[in-house]
Amino acid sequence: DIPKSRISLEHGLKSKIKVFKILLFILLLNLFASTSRAAEIISSDYVNQGKVIKFEIASAESGATIFGEFLGQTFPFYQTGNVYRGIVGVPVDQKVGSFSLFIVFAGSNEKNRQLEKKIMVVKSYFPVSRFWLPPARNKLRARQIVDDEWGRIEKVLLVEDPVQRWDGKFTLPVQGEMSQAFGQREIINNKPAGNHRGADLAVNVGTKVKAPN
């Protein structure tokens, strides 16, 4: 006869081996799922004219080089933790309809891979502002003057940096009434003058202007 203590020992060993095999199977299953999970685009399905839309890429390979293409614009994605984020603006006069967003993976094992998602651009309704400028002031709206001014502004605004240079939320530089909003349609001296490219706050002369962050 086999001693009961030996039977008990063998039974306990077999149980432990069985539990170990089950745990190993679960571990391998999770590992396979995490490595085979396809990257996906996380974003809204629509965006208004004159607005920006944010995109996130989940489950992408760490260290990849990713960029997006939307409405003829190419923009980069930056990695934050396990997520890649990108943002792009929609022109105020963009034609409405469905357009393709392409995400291109240009680095490491995901090179030359591409994702596509349809984004609907919907119409925005901008208010209209009408005002009159005397001839001397109206000369400041000459195309060359405007282009030169915006050229200097864009040298500062259109600077990209993969390192986050701000902390917390942004605030307004001054507290005042919004005298003219972004995208507002301007009619100057009874002639259409396009859409306003900024946001104007009305305050008294001499008001201190603070950095927004």
Side-chain angles (χ1 to χ4, degrees), residues 17 32 42 52 61 67 70 72 98 109 115 135-136 146-147 154 167 170 182 195 201:
I17 292 175
F32 174 78
I42 302 174
V52 298
E61 177 188 356
F67 62 90
F70 186 57
S98 180
N109 295 332
L115 299 177
V146 173
D147 288 346
E154 289 175 348
D167 183 30
F170 285 79
F182 175 82
N195 296 77
L201 298 171

Side-chain angles (χ1 to χ4, degrees), residues 82-94:
N82 297 325
V83 177
Y84 288 80
R85 292 185 173 91
I87 189 170
V88 66
V90 177
V92 294
D93 56 353
Q94 172 63 44

Side-chain angles (χ1 to χ4, degrees), residues 159-174:
V159 175
E160 296 180 356
D161 191 336
V163 180
Q164 181 173 310
R165 302 293 182 181
W166 71 91
D167 183 30
K169 296 182 178 180
F170 285 79
T171 61
L172 293 175
V174 294

